[in-house]
Each structure stands twice: as structure tokens, then as C-alpha cells.
Amino acid sequence: MNPKPLLAGQSAVVTGAGRGIGAAIAKALAAAGASVAINYSRSADESEALRSEIEAAGGNAFTIQADVSREDDVQAMFDATIKRFGTVDILVNNAGIQIDAPFEDMKLDQWNKLLAINLTGQFLCARAAVREFLRRGVAPERSAAAGKIICISSVHEVIPWAGHVNYATSKGGVGMFMRTLAQEMASRRIRVNAIGPGAIATDINRNAWETEEAKAKLLKLIPYGRVGAAVDIGKAAVWLASDESDYMTGQTLFVDGGMTLYPEFRDAG
């Protein structure tokens, strides 16, 4: 007899799921038995292709457009998901952007727009999820927890990144947001954790790994000797969303090939 899938009978919202890490997470959750709301802001065609791929593999998914920085959009997304699936068990706060500039040239709009998506968006989605988790409470046949939130952070939650001050600030904020929310919600059986990806090969950072020269430079920062794949993050998300990690809350799981080990110091600095 095949074992019951880890997330059988549960439903998930994955923000920014049209491509890259978000798409890999959505596929992994669906393969583990969860019904998935694939959120996107602009990548409608890619999101529909992902939905088709999930359904062709026997999963259950639908696509939903929403700007996570807009309160009304977020509420409408959760209302639609609850109407479709009955409830929400898992939120993966993945939506994020990167707008780079030297600090002295950074425009206020570049700062505000990035924080609105990367940090305020996580707040709005988490708040909507928590409200649903508290309304439903623990359903033991679904999960030991009332709900699970996974915040997608970055190694730059802890590693400063010159030339990317808005991005690094947002990820540092995600880390403290996650830990504080976990502290507040633990007694109510809501688990909140984060994943901090390192260098993951996606289209958005293709210039950092596509050529052999760029890849060799990048690998100097990765002790494990390979660039990460989006599927690596998907596997971690399934574990954090499942009861296999039920005693874990308030933690950032760095999936980075050792980047946060500061490899420049391997030879005594």
C-alpha cells in the first residue's frame, strides 16, 4: 500500500507562483497532495501552463491574479481560494522583486515599491491566512497545526549585499517578521517558518550562472560546489508544510549550499 501523501487533503496559497522558485514550490506541494492556488501578478500564461502541468500529473490547482501589496487583492485571493477549496491550510509567502541601484542613486520609488511587495505583501497575506486558520482551528484529520506559513526569505536575511540595500533590508525584515509572528501564534497552533534560498538558478538571475565564467565566480561563494535548483526549495517547502516538521516554528531554514558559512574564511580569512 502506498503511504498517504504528506499534504493530502490540504490546500495552499503560493504567491508569486507563476515561475521560478514559486512555480517549483507549487508543483512540489501539489505532488505531495495539496490543492494549490497559483498566485501571479503578471505571468498569466506561465501560471496557466503550470496549472495544466499540475493537473496533468493528477493534482488540483487554479490560478489567481493578485498584487500582494494591495489589501483588496489579497482578500479577494483568499476569498476565492476558500470558496474553491473550503479553507486554506498553508501559505507560502514567495512573491518578491529585486530593484537594484547604488545607494546614492536609489530612488524613493525603488525603495517603496520593493518593500511594498517583499515585506508588506508578506504581512497582508499572512494576516489573511492567520484569520482563516483561527476561524477553522485545528482539524486533526488534516494537520496537527491549525495552519502553516512559510516566508520565502534569502541568505541576505543575514548577509549584507552592497548595491542591493532595499532587497537586503526587506529580507532582514522578513526574518524578524517571521520570528515575531511565530512567537505570537505558537500557542494557537500556527507554525511560521522561513526558507532562505542561496544562489538558485532561475530566469531572474540567469546572468549569474549561465556562462561558465559567471558560474565559476558564483561557485566561489558556495562551498557545496553547485548552484541550487528551484526544486531544492520546493522539497524544503513540503517538509516545512507537513507534520514532519510539526515541532519547528520561528526558524529560517537556509537552503544555500553553505553560502551562509562565509566560505571566504575557509583558509583562515
Side-chain angles (χ1 to χ4, degrees):
M1 179 180 292
N2 291 327
K4 181 182 177 181
L6 282 176
L7 303 177
Q10 298 189 52
S11 58
V13 172
V14 183
T15 67
R19 56 185 178 175
I21 287 173
I25 291 171
K27 283 195 287 186
L29 296 181
S35 298
V36 181
I38 302 167
N39 161 252
Y40 68 93
S41 178
R42 292 182 297 274
S43 53
D45 291 344
E46 292 136 311
S47 297
E48 282 298 321
L50 175 60
R51 177 194 60 77
S52 295
E53 183 180 350
I54 287 172
E55 291 183 346
N60 184 22
F62 81 106
T63 61
I64 180 82
Q65 193 278 335
D67 179 342
V68 298
S69 70
R70 297 176 61 89
E71 188 172 21
D72 290 348
D73 277 19
V74 169
Q75 190 57 56
M77 174 173 65
F78 274 83
D79 289 345
T81 303
I82 293 166
K83 182 177 180 180
R84 181 90 172 220
F85 298 145
T87 189
V88 174
D89 302 277
I90 302 157
L91 166 65
V92 182
N93 258 334
N94 171 73
I97 59 174
Q98 192 174 318
I99 309 172
D100 303 331
F103 183 72
E104 67 272 21
D105 298 328
M106 185 169 287
K107 297 177 174 61
L108 179 60
D109 182 63
Q110 293 175 307
W111 174 268
N112 285 338
K113 183 177 180 180
L114 186 141
L115 290 179
I117 298 290
N118 292 18
L119 195 51
T120 301
Q122 295 223 10
F123 156 71
L124 290 172
C125 291
R127 188 182 64 178
V130 163
R131 287 171 174 171
E132 173 59 12
F133 300 159
L134 294 176
R135 182 201 66 79
R136 173 176 37 76
V138 177
E141 71 280 6
R142 303 168 74 88
S143 175
K148 288 74 59 96
I149 296 173
I150 302 169
C151 301
I152 302 303
S153 183
S154 164
V155 292
H156 297 295
E157 178 181 317
V158 294
I159 299 176
W161 199 16
H164 309 77
V165 70
N166 51 358
Y167 182 85
T169 298
S170 75
K171 295 305 183 179
V174 166
M176 185 53 73
F177 168 74
M178 176 274 295
R179 290 189 291 276
T180 303
L181 184 59
Q183 183 190 67
E184 184 170 343
M185 290 295 145
S187 64
R188 302 165 95 171
R189 297 299 293 274
I190 294 171
R191 296 196 295 111
V192 189
N193 291 289
I195 298 173
I200 306 297
T202 62
D203 286 340
I204 199 170
N205 62 0
R206 184 175 291 275
N207 65 337
W209 55 266
E210 190 170 33
T211 68
E212 287 303 315
E213 182 180 3
K215 185 177 178 181
K217 183 178 179 181
L218 182 59
L219 287 176
K220 292 179 181 179
L221 302 176
I222 308 171
Y224 199 59
R226 73 169 173 89
V227 178
V231 68
D232 293 317
I233 310 304
K235 292 174 182 177
V238 168
W239 183 72
L240 283 176
S242 77
D243 284 353
E244 297 293 299
S245 61
D246 185 57
Y247 202 50
M248 183 171 177
T249 194
Q251 305 301 314
T252 297
L253 180 63
F254 289 106
V255 183
D256 66 351
M259 186 175 281
T260 47
L261 299 176
Y262 297 92
E264 296 89 343
F265 286 84
R266 278 179 291 191
D267 300 316

